[in-house]
């Protein structure tokens, strides 16, 4: 292995990055073959980032190295007590070839909030942003250029200390890996059916629902399988009082007949950056956004009276997806009209337009990665 640039200047965070090039990096032809149809989360770029943290030394030894298996002690705390968090964002290629990402500071801040809840150390924003730039510096060619494709970036952090006692770990690792992603809806965006889970909850009051942590996903897999058995692609969770929370990995927004957008307020949901951005674009259009508790009964009655005309889900991977049908054990809500889906899709187009550099970025959301 060759070590490139072992003496780079310290970054804003005061760290000196080391890059070890992958001697088995894919050839241009192999990479292009993958990028022609990468799917989602199946292929990974040639390199990864990792940064160590210890109670004594703080954040140290930031490096880019060949992508590959990690060695972990079988007693590593994450494997037993799930002290783990992650993030998800994308790198986009613009028509002029440049590479950008969307609101990474918001992901960095959310990762700090997740870290706090899960008793992990907070990664400074500067290291988070550096990690993305460093990976793109070696793997920029992995950002695909076809319509609506992207390089999905997955930062994550876990307790690696080998110790079976129950307390927060004194040794932690931060990693960043990247995976090219096909357009989510190659044939155009299709409405999804969702299953209302009343038997299972995703999170509880005071729990970890607002943290982006693996355990929330583990607990959603069984209800997700139930949803699939009923022909639904996603699950909607409620709180104990019958208020909407969110889907397994996406936030939810209801649309009224007069064009208001209603989205659940809750301290046990994960506050999506996509939702925040879509709602900002809606406010820019003069639409009213209501961020408040909203119950399943309000949705049900509103759909019956014609007051609520549709709903959509939003998150980084799929961006925005209209909800065609909500199926529950003893009732169903069907949204057939076009108005809400058209609004959802037009907000989606505007957001992806900004992300791919086709629409003016009037909020200063885009950050260039390759310059
Ligand atoms: C990541 C995530 C979202 C969506 O967040 P974005 O920042 O929009 O990608 C919504 N809900 C859950 C549970 C999530 O983990």
């Amino acid at each position: 292995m060759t070590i490139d640039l072992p003496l780079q200047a310290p970054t804003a965070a005061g760290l000196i990055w080391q890059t070890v090039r992958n001697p088995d990096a894919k050839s241009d032809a192999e990479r292009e073959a993958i990028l022609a149809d990468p799917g989602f989360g199946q292929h990974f770029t040639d390199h990864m980032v990792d940064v160590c943290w210890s109670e004594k030394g703080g954040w140290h030894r930031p490096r880019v190295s060949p992508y590959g298996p990690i060695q972990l002690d079988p007693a590593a705390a994450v494997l037993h007590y799930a002290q783990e968090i992650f993030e998800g964002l994308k790198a986009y290629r613009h028509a002029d070839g440049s590479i950008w990402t969307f609101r990474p500071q918001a992901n960095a801040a959310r990762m700090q909030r997740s870290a706090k809840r899960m008793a992990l150390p907070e990664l400074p924003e500067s290291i988070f942003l550096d990690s993305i730039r460093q990976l793109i510096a070696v793997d920029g060619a992995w950002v695909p250029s076809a319509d609506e494709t992207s390089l999905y970036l997955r930062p994550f952090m876990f307790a690696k200390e080998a110790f079976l006692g129950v307390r927060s770990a004194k040794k932690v690792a931060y990693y960043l890996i990247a995976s090219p992603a096909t357009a989510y809806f190659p044939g155009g965006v299709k409405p999804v059916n969702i299953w209302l889970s009343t038997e299972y909850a995703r999170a509880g009051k005071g729990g970890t629902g607002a943290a982006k942590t693996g355990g929330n996903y583990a607990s959603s897999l069984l209800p997700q399988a139930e949803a699939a058995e009923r022909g639904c692609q996603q699950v909607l969770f409620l709180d104990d009082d019958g208020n909407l929370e969110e889907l397994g990995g996406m936030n939810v927004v209801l649309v009224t007949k007069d064009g208001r957008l209603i989205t659940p307020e809750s301290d046990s949901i994960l506050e999506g950056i996509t939702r925040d951005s879509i709602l900002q674009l809606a406010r820019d259009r003069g639409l009213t956004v209501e961020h408040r508790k909203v119950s399943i009964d309000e949705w049900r009655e509103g759909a019956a009276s014609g007051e609520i005309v549709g709903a959509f889900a939003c998150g980084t991977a799929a961006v925005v997806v209209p909800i065609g049908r909500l199926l529950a054990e003893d009732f169903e809500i069907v949204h057939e009209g076009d108005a809400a889906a058209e609004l959802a899709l037009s907000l989606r187009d505007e957001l992806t337009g900004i992300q791919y550099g086709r629409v003016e970025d009037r909020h200063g959301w885009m950050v260039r990665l390759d310059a």
Side-chain angles (χ1 to χ4, degrees):
M1 286 185 197
T2 52
I3 296 184
D4 291 343
L5 306 172
L7 290 176
Q8 289 186 43
T11 61
L15 296 176
I16 296 177
W17 283 78
Q18 189 183 75
T19 297
V20 178
R21 289 266 179 182
N22 187 344
D24 300 318
K26 298 270 188 304
S27 69
D28 290 351
E30 287 169 324
R31 189 183 58 244
E32 290 310 320
I34 292 170
L35 294 186
D37 186 20
F40 183 83
Q42 300 167 42
H43 297 279
F44 298 90
T45 64
D46 295 313
H47 298 86
M48 61 186 186
V49 161
D50 76 308
V51 187
C52 300
W53 179 90
S54 65
E55 195 179 53
K56 288 203 186 89
W59 292 104
H60 61 277
R61 211 218 50 206
R63 65 175 179 187
V64 178
S65 58
Y67 182 92
I70 301 175
Q71 268 215 332
L72 267 190
D73 192 290
V78 63
L79 300 176
H80 305 272
Y81 309 126
Q83 198 189 3
E84 182 271 353
I85 57 175
F86 65 96
E87 269 302 324
L89 67 170
K90 289 172 170 174
Y92 308 89
R93 192 176 296 281
H94 286 188
D96 66 359
S98 58
I99 301 172
W100 300 72
T101 192
F102 180 73
R103 302 186 69 184
Q105 302 90 344
N107 294 91
R110 187 169 68 189
M111 195 169 200
Q112 291 181 346
R113 294 197 300 275
S114 298
K116 199 163 187 180
R117 179 64 185 87
M118 301 308 290
L120 285 162
E122 290 176 39
L123 183 77
E125 179 191 288
S126 55
I127 301 182
F128 184 91
L129 297 179
D130 274 356
S131 71
I132 298 174
R133 286 185 202 284
Q134 293 283 337
L135 191 63
I136 291 296
V138 290
D139 282 341
W142 283 90
V143 182
S145 51
D147 230 24
E148 291 248 341
T149 60
S150 60
L151 182 65
Y152 183 77
L153 304 169
R154 168 52 61 86
F156 60 105
M157 188 194 295
F158 58 87
K160 77 168 178 205
E161 186 185 1
F163 174 62
L164 290 184
V166 180
R167 59 153 167 73
S168 59
K170 296 181 180 178
K171 280 191 187 151
V172 166
Y174 164 79
Y175 277 79
L176 169 65
I177 56 175
S179 173
T182 309
Y184 206 88
F185 298 102
V189 182
K190 285 190 196 65
V192 290
N193 297 334
I194 59 179
W195 164 247
L196 179 69
S197 181
T198 42
E199 189 176 349
Y200 301 106
R202 175 186 168 271
K205 195 168 158 45
T208 58
K212 211 167 174 74
T213 183
N216 294 340
Y217 280 73
S219 71
S220 75
L221 297 178
L222 180 61
Q224 179 70 41
E226 275 186 7
E229 278 167 24
R230 288 162 170 94
C232 295
Q233 293 89 341
Q234 287 278 339
V235 199
L236 174 69
F237 295 101
L238 303 178
D239 71 10
D240 284 347
D241 301 321
N243 295 307
L244 306 190
E245 292 259 288
E246 61 173 319
L247 308 182
M250 296 176 93
N251 296 127
V252 64
V253 179
L254 306 183
V255 183
T256 68
K257 71 168 185 288
D258 53 352
R260 277 176 298 127
L261 299 176
I262 307 172
T263 193
E265 155 99 279
S266 160
D267 36 18
S268 49
I269 69 176
L270 195 285
E271 304 260 330
I273 295 158
T274 313
R275 179 178 74 158
D276 184 70
S277 309
I278 285 285
L279 295 179
Q280 182 59 51
L281 297 179
R283 282 189 210 98
D284 294 351
R285 294 180 184 192
L287 298 176
T288 300
V289 171
E290 297 177 15
H291 191 195
R292 60 169 170 85
K293 290 216 172 293
V294 46
S295 69
I296 188 67
D297 290 340
E298 179 177 350
W299 186 357
R300 220 178 141 178
E301 286 155 19
S305 72
E307 180 62 27
I308 293 174
V309 294
F312 60 86
C314 46
T316 295
V319 193
V320 170
V321 202
I323 295 171
R325 205 160 74 100
L326 173 79
L327 185 66
E329 199 64 64
D330 52 357
F331 68 92
E332 116 184 282
I333 297 173
V334 182
H335 286 301
E336 275 168 332
D338 291 337
E342 273 167 22
L343 174 61
L345 295 183
S346 123
L347 289 166
R348 184 184 201 279
D349 274 352
E350 186 176 355
L351 183 62
T352 53
I354 293 169
Q355 291 168 333
Y356 287 92
R358 300 185 297 259
V359 170
E360 191 205 342
D361 173 24
R362 40 179 207 284
H363 293 286
W365 283 338
M366 301 306 292
V367 172
R368 187 159 180 186
L369 294 175
D370 61 334

